[in-house]
Amino acid sequence: QVQVVESGGGLVQPGGSLRLSCAASGRMLRINPMAWYRQAPGKQCELVAGISSGGSTNYADSVKGRFTISRDNAKNTLYLQMNSLKPEDTAVYYCNVKDGLITLRDYWGQGTQVTVSS
């Protein structure tokens, strides 16, 4: 029902910045909670940042103060502004969208690769 596509990843030097985008399309039933997750090679997927339907945000301690999550409800688009990037930020970043009629279900994109290296 919901299609999720991430974009904006790439190779960046430590201290650099990237802006990720997540476009959600399909039969959206509400203004959804949305979040960014990431998974580094050999590691478990972790929550990076989330934003509620009301606009409240939360961040992993490792990215707090460096990353900013935002949303454009009119465009059904989620953003992640990443500043002061570190090599440990290297991972595949996934967009998560929750949507449903009776109960919320999770929808995931294919991911976008972020590589921070000198």
Side-chain angles (χ1 to χ4, degrees):
Q1 290 285 88
V2 178
Q3 303 294 322
V4 181
V5 180
E6 304 97 337
S7 62
L11 175 64
V12 64
Q13 292 185 338
S17 298
L18 284 174
R19 184 176 175 86
L20 305 184
S21 298
C22 168
S25 62
R27 305 292 180 87
M28 306 294 288
L29 302 177
R30 59 179 60 83
I31 303 299
N32 303 283
M34 304 178 79
W36 288 99
Y37 288 76
R38 68 186 181 187
Q39 186 169 25
K43 294 187 176 181
Q44 207 144 7
C45 190
E46 65 172 341
L47 174 68
V48 178
I51 186 166
S52 73
S53 59
S56 62
T57 59
N58 64 283
Y59 298 89
D61 288 340
S62 59
V63 307
K64 198 170 298 181
R66 299 187 297 119
F67 291 9
T68 302
I69 188 171
S70 61
R71 63 191 300 165
D72 185 334
N73 291 333
K75 297 180 178 180
N76 267 338
T77 301
L78 179 72
Y79 303 98
L80 184 67
Q81 179 66 46
M82 305 185 295
N83 298 325
S84 302
L85 283 162
K86 305 175 181 179
E88 48 263 48
D89 295 319
T90 296
V92 178
Y93 284 70
Y94 297 94
C95 178
N96 171 263
V97 179
K98 298 185 184 296
D99 190 57
L101 179 61
I102 300 174
T103 59
L104 291 177
R105 293 155 57 189
D106 288 301
Y107 297 88
W108 298 88
Q110 293 182 332
T112 184
Q113 176 71 50
V114 172
T115 302
V116 185
S117 176
S118 60

